[in-house]
Amino acid sequence: MKAAPFQYVRVESVQEAAVLLAERDARLLAGGQSLMPALALREQTTGKLVDITGLRELRGVEIDEQQVVVGAAEPLRTLELSGSFAAAVPLLAQAIRTVAAMAIRSRCTLGGSIAWADPTSQLPATLLACDADVITSQRTVTLEQLYATSGSPLAPDEVILQVRIPTHAQARFGLRHVRRTHITWPVAGAAALVDHRGVRLGLYGAGPRPVLITASTAQDALAQLPSRLDPPSDERAGSRYRRRVLPVLARRALEQTEGDGDTTGDIERTNR
Amino acid sequence: MKMVTLTVDGQTETIVVEDRTTLVDGLRDHIGCTSVNVGCEQGICGACTVLLDEVPVRSCLMLAVQAEGRQVTTVAGLRTLDPERGPILQESFREAHGLQCGFCTPGMLLTARSLLCQTAEPDDDTIRDALHGNLCRCTGYEQIIESVQLAAERLADGAGAHRHGD
């Protein structure tokens, strides 16, 4: 199906984008790998698409010993192909490699993924586990704060500029999910990061928002888990299935952090 | 309406399209590149894969106007873009029966070319991981995997010196 007619504007600056986005019925276009299908299926419509992908200020990756700063419109492909990115934030790098397909990761962006905020996507939940900060045209917030409100996480004229992720090169990590196909979002999953400060567990497919559980030990995290679940029912799975599978995935992701160093094996063994 | 100038398989093209026209519709309906197939129009099937500045993209998930000033390669331009890998990939797909109806083949070839640029000698899992975004309803995929393996072997053997058949 074809998208309903809209006007397309390629902006020259974030300020210009913000002005246009303040108008009624305008949408920001980042990588477009979720928005374009939604428009084509006419699940969503827009009067105006504001394309920020050409803005240099929203590109680039800076890595130092403390943090990784990623331009909000930098394609995932850049991150995937960077050895220093994988060394600095290995859990996030692994999650990125599981997103859809090569020809989608070449356009998909971290900023777009955060703004789209699909609760079943592996990226927002993994970024929560990684304690990422989001720098927008209006504020700097933790991703946890950004997702604390219901409804749209961003103001209509707010543009994500950068995503800042503390490095976790020394931490142990695990990632497990189930999915029906690689192209659509997973059914449910868990991203675990464990270091001397404790456990951070990001869950997807677990509620209307990605869920973050912090605890001092893996047992504490798993004990908290059932009370934190409010999983959705959709065409990929029912709420009951997600409620049953999430504790298993979380346990396996946490076991992965402890043990055999098998961090590169199948993420979803049950699915192969 | 927007006027867009882009390079397609080495040729400069200027087209006038609606703002909402996707790149695949621009390529097929305005430029006549019918090697780019339209499958699902929602990013699932990979039949519309093209290279944008040598990077594989879904041409149904971007707008024609976003290709302004960019270099697009379809499967028709693959041999010219990459005289080393292009012909060997195409011949390997034919010899290892990597296609039946051929609808997915342009996307498969362009994606496989990107894989072989990144990883010269990919193992089975790496090939599957690279190609899982391209659906094929005929082959059951095994022959496609074998085709890519064959191409990789031939490239490693010295740019097709051991070509057989023909």
Side-chain angles (χ1 to χ4, degrees), chain A residues 58-237:
Chain A
L58 301 185
R59 300 296 282 267
V61 186
E62 288 166 34
I63 301 172
D64 66 27
E65 277 172 23
Q66 273 78 45
Q67 61 183 19
V68 175
V69 182
V70 180
E74 188 65 45
L76 297 187
R77 178 185 169 83
T78 312
L79 311 176
E80 187 184 350
L81 296 178
S82 162
S84 47
F85 181 84
V89 283
L91 171 61
L92 181 58
Q94 187 174 11
I96 284 172
R97 285 193 294 273
T98 70
V99 172
M102 188 199 282
I104 285 177
R105 295 195 296 272
S106 58
R107 310 241 350 129
C108 181
T109 67
L110 283 188
S113 188
I114 288 169
W116 194 259
D118 188 294
T120 62
S121 165
Q122 54 273 62
L123 287 183
T126 302
L127 285 163
L128 274 178
C130 295
D131 199 13
D133 290 327
V134 181
I135 298 136
T136 78
S137 53
Q138 298 177 8
R139 55 191 165 145
T140 297
V141 282
T142 64
L143 185 61
E144 196 181 353
Q145 289 166 338
L146 193 74
Y147 283 161
T149 54
S150 58
S152 172
L154 298 163
D157 61 344
E158 188 172 14
V159 179
I160 300 178
L161 307 178
Q162 290 176 325
V163 184
R164 200 160 58 194
I165 308 117
T167 59
H168 55 255
Q170 307 306 319
R172 286 160 288 139
F173 64 94
L175 184 74
R176 281 284 183 270
H177 53 225
V178 285
R179 51 184 172 182
R180 290 184 174 274
T181 76
H182 286 65
I183 290 294
T184 52
W185 288 287
V187 168
L193 198 62
V194 179
D195 64 12
H196 62 280
R197 288 166 300 184
V199 174
R200 293 180 69 88
L201 186 63
L203 302 175
Y204 38 114
R209 287 268 194 236
V211 170
L212 174 68
I213 293 175
T214 55
S216 50
T217 65
Q219 281 91 335
D220 285 352
L222 290 171
Q224 285 182 42
L225 190 138
S227 67
R228 298 292 307 279
L229 299 182
D230 179 18
S233 283
D234 57 27
E235 73 283 3
R236 280 166 280 157

Side-chain angles (χ1 to χ4, degrees), chain B residues 67-129:
Chain B
E68 170 69 38
R70 311 289 292 270
Q71 185 191 322
V72 174
T73 305
T74 73
V75 78
L78 178 60
R79 295 171 85 99
T80 312
L81 175 80
D82 193 340
E84 188 194 359
R85 298 180 190 86
I88 288 178
L89 266 168
Q90 288 172 324
E91 285 157 26
S92 299
F93 265 67
R94 179 164 55 81
E95 286 175 36
H97 304 283
L99 65 148
Q100 288 178 33
C101 85
F103 193 83
C104 70
T105 313
M108 289 284 181
L109 287 167
L110 292 165
T111 307
R113 186 264 175 178
S114 296
L115 166 68
L116 294 181
C117 288
Q118 273 173 39
T119 314
E121 293 178 59
D123 60 21
D124 194 85
D125 280 348
T126 308
I127 297 172
R128 285 175 193 278
D129 192 51

Side-chain angles (χ1 to χ4, degrees), chain B residues 15-29:
Chain B
I15 55 177
V16 177
V17 294
E18 275 188 86
D19 291 25
R20 64 169 168 166
T21 303
T22 57
L23 178 58
V24 65
D25 286 341
L27 289 169
R28 286 177 61 89
D29 300 344

Side-chain angles (χ1 to χ4, degrees), chain A residues 21-40:
Chain A
L21 290 166
E23 296 172 14
R24 217 169 58 83
D25 205 21
R27 292 289 301 266
L28 184 144
L29 176 62
Q33 302 301 288
S34 299
L35 180 57
M36 290 288 291
L39 293 172

Side-chain angles (χ1 to χ4, degrees), chain B residues 31-53:
Chain B
I31 304 177
C33 298
T34 49
S35 76
V36 190
N37 289 325
V38 193
C40 66
E41 295 193 301
Q42 49 179 290
I44 304 291
C45 77
C48 68
T49 303
V50 298
L51 304 182
L52 186 73
D53 298 328

